Amino acid sequence: MRRNQTLQLSDGRQLEFAEYGAPDGKPVFFFQGSPSSRLFHHPDEGIAISSGARIITIDRPGYGLSSFQPGRTLLDWPDDINIMADALGLDSFAVAGISAGGPYVAACAYKIPAHITNATIISSVGPTDSKTDTQKLYRKRQITITLARIAPWMLRPLIWWFQNPQRDPERYFRNIFEESSQPDQAILSRPEIKSMLIQNWLEGARQGVRGFAWEAVIFAHPWGFPLEEIRIPVNIWHGDADSSIPLSMAEQIANAIPNCKLRIIPKEGHFLLFKYWEEILSNILPETPGNLNED
């Protein structure tokens, strides 16, 4: 894994990114959850290599080593992706994202569709304007959404105290483990998954929690574009045992996007990516030899 690469932007910001998989493979920009960083990846890099995938993960502004971007919105992200693609010499690429990375996939599908070969959303949060859906979230997430709307200035100190992996990474992991469904606990019990996630979370909070807090503000408000106007195909993967993000959020996104395929995975949770990564990649890169879904 090529962990530390920096792109300097014309506005003075920098984006830090990493690559793993096949260096000359088909490019996939992968958007991780929140808080997270470029270090989020499947511990078995051989899956990406054998799939012929060049996975590019990026610290979003305020995470890891990427500069904070005041007032940013979801629709600012596709511009950064276009700049990075140009810098890497990529005319086209796939986009995929898990959890809080899902809305960024939708933003790219809406704003830069001509460059995208595939858009895949995994275990994603949905718009929070539906009271029914938000009531299914963990209590602390409901509180975060409310504060982000009415008192965003309170978010940073509260997140720093209660949701900052830098304060106690083992406790942070333990809290997520205890909140997770049984299928997810089985995945999180794998030492290589735990080690990767803790490193990833620590790196995500390297600069503190300002990026985390601002992202909470972003997700507590309308996304800024109509899902109904996304014209390219979008694939969604979601487990029906996801205790972190309710299945109804995935259904909401799938019902709004005209050309969308929702795949519900029975008895799987939020971290299904780690079990289905090879199959997901075979759908992202359908020309890959040995495609698991070939007719």
Side-chain angles (χ1 to χ4, degrees), residues 9-177:
L9 305 179
S10 60
D11 62 4
R13 291 185 295 123
Q14 72 173 34
L15 289 176
E16 194 77 5
F17 67 101
E19 298 182 67
Y20 71 99
D24 298 322
K26 296 173 183 177
V28 180
F29 284 108
F30 186 86
F31 311 144
Q32 58 278 357
S34 177
S36 199
S37 75
R38 69 193 182 280
L39 301 186
F40 183 95
H41 65 286
H42 194 294
D44 184 358
E45 188 176 7
I47 295 174
I49 293 172
S50 63
S51 298
R54 175 187 179 187
I55 310 296
I56 304 163
T57 57
I58 311 164
D59 291 341
R60 290 196 291 274
Y63 290 119
L65 293 170
S66 287
S67 308
F68 183 75
Q69 184 180 12
R72 77 178 178 93
T73 69
L74 281 174
L75 287 177
D76 289 323
W77 185 244
D79 297 332
D80 283 351
I81 294 301
N82 260 350
I83 293 170
M84 179 162 286
D86 287 344
L88 296 175
L90 305 176
D91 294 324
S92 60
F93 45 84
V95 289
I98 183 173
S99 194
Y104 292 93
V105 173
C108 288
Y110 171 79
K111 193 172 184 180
I112 55 171
H115 296 285
I116 296 176
T117 59
N118 180 283
T120 296
I121 292 172
I122 307 155
S123 306
S124 176
V125 65
T128 59
D129 50 1
S130 169
K131 185 176 181 181
T132 301
D133 286 340
T134 55
Q135 286 178 341
K136 297 176 184 177
L137 295 170
Y138 298 143
R139 181 63 177 164
K140 65 184 179 184
R141 289 185 178 173
Q142 295 180 41
I143 293 171
T144 298
I145 291 169
T146 300
L147 288 177
R149 289 171 177 164
I150 66 174
W153 55 271
M154 293 182 62
L155 285 176
R156 283 180 68 184
L158 287 175
I159 290 174
W160 186 90
W161 187 258
F162 292 107
Q163 298 184 62
N164 180 5
Q166 289 279 356
R167 295 189 67 237
D168 188 338
E170 284 291 339
R171 185 179 68 177
Y172 187 85
F173 178 86
R174 186 168 61 252
N175 288 341
I176 290 177
F177 184 91

Side-chain angles (χ1 to χ4, degrees), residues 228-251:
E228 293 79 5
E229 293 186 12
I230 294 176
R231 295 293 176 247
I232 64 173
V234 176
N235 299 289
I236 299 179
W237 297 63
H238 209 100
D240 66 5
D242 189 334
S243 61
S244 180
I245 305 294
L247 174 60
S248 56
M249 283 191 162
E251 293 171 334

